[in-house]
Amino acid sequence: FTQSFFNGGLVLVTDKKAPNSIQDLIDQGYKFVGIRGGSTERLFEMSKDPLFIRMRNSMEFSSDSAQQLYGKMKSSDKIVMLSEFGTAKYFANKDCSVKVLPVTLNSVSYGIVMPKGAAKRKDGQVYEIRPVLDNALTSIKYEGHLASLERKWWPEGKC
């Protein structure tokens, strides 16, 4: 793997009026919805964390897209959407009636995967690819290009 170039995690998106505590959401009868078949569903199936187990008891996974789940969440007062941070930020920046709860359920970092020792031959020289990509990622981070791309694709909302 290269160095990470984006950090995120699993968060909760819900109506602005909803409680900020997962425990309060559970106690008040909120239902949690997520996309079936991915790492999020597996996280809740495998977790031994008592809070995750309580969440799982009021959770529904479906084949719906993130947009469709968002629509379900918007159409009910008691639904909380499980979402990756980037998707959650997108929805919250477009719609002032929703919020991302101030809790991260897990943390992830994204990098580029390649075979161990991956190399490129050029003009009789052999260059390892990972150090070249790490150097390029460092450059775009420090020169502000990565932040610029984030602002382009996840612009700050009007809220």
Side-chain angles (χ1 to χ4, degrees):
F1 288 97
T2 63
Q3 63 174 284
S4 67
F5 59 87
F6 182 77
N7 297 311
L10 185 63
V11 296
L12 301 171
V13 181
T14 191
D15 186 83
K16 280 247 199 249
K17 296 174 279 185
N20 283 333
S21 149
I22 294 173
Q23 189 63 53
D24 288 343
L25 290 167
I26 294 168
D27 291 344
Q28 292 179 29
Y30 280 76
K31 182 167 84 172
F32 300 88
V33 296
I35 297 174
R36 178 180 310 287
S39 59
T40 300
E41 184 177 23
R42 195 167 44 256
L43 170 70
F44 282 93
E45 285 175 353
M46 306 298 285
S47 180
K48 304 288 187 228
D49 182 299
L51 184 62
F52 279 26
I53 292 169
R54 288 200 65 211
M55 289 175 72
R56 184 172 61 215
N57 291 335
S58 59
M59 192 170 287
E60 174 187 299
F61 287 96
S62 71
S63 300
D64 292 342
S65 68
Q67 187 71 42
Q68 290 167 320
L69 285 180
Y70 178 75
K72 279 184 182 178
M73 186 265 306
K74 289 286 292 176
S75 70
S76 172
D77 289 338
K78 298 255 183 175
I79 291 185
V80 179
M81 181 176 127
L82 298 159
S83 176
E84 287 293 323
F85 177 73
T87 303
K89 185 177 175 183
Y90 171 81
F91 287 129
N93 284 341
K94 288 186 73 142
D95 183 349
C96 296
S97 71
V98 301
K99 66 182 176 182
V100 178
L101 266 64
V103 60
T104 302
L105 301 172
N106 73 344
S107 296
V108 294
S109 295
Y110 297 94
I112 301 169
V113 66
M114 64 199 70
K116 187 173 183 173
K120 172 81 173 157
R121 183 179 303 273
K122 182 178 179 183
D123 300 327
Q125 296 284 330
V126 177
Y127 300 94
E128 284 191 50
I129 295 173
R130 191 183 58 77
V132 172
L133 287 174
D134 281 343
N135 186 41
L137 287 169
T138 298
S139 292
I140 66 171
K141 283 179 187 177
Y142 287 114
E143 292 170 7
H145 297 300
L146 201 55
S148 175
L149 286 170
E150 185 174 346
R151 284 189 304 275
K152 175 181 178 181
W153 296 106
W154 291 283
E156 290 300 318
K158 58 185 180 283
C159 308

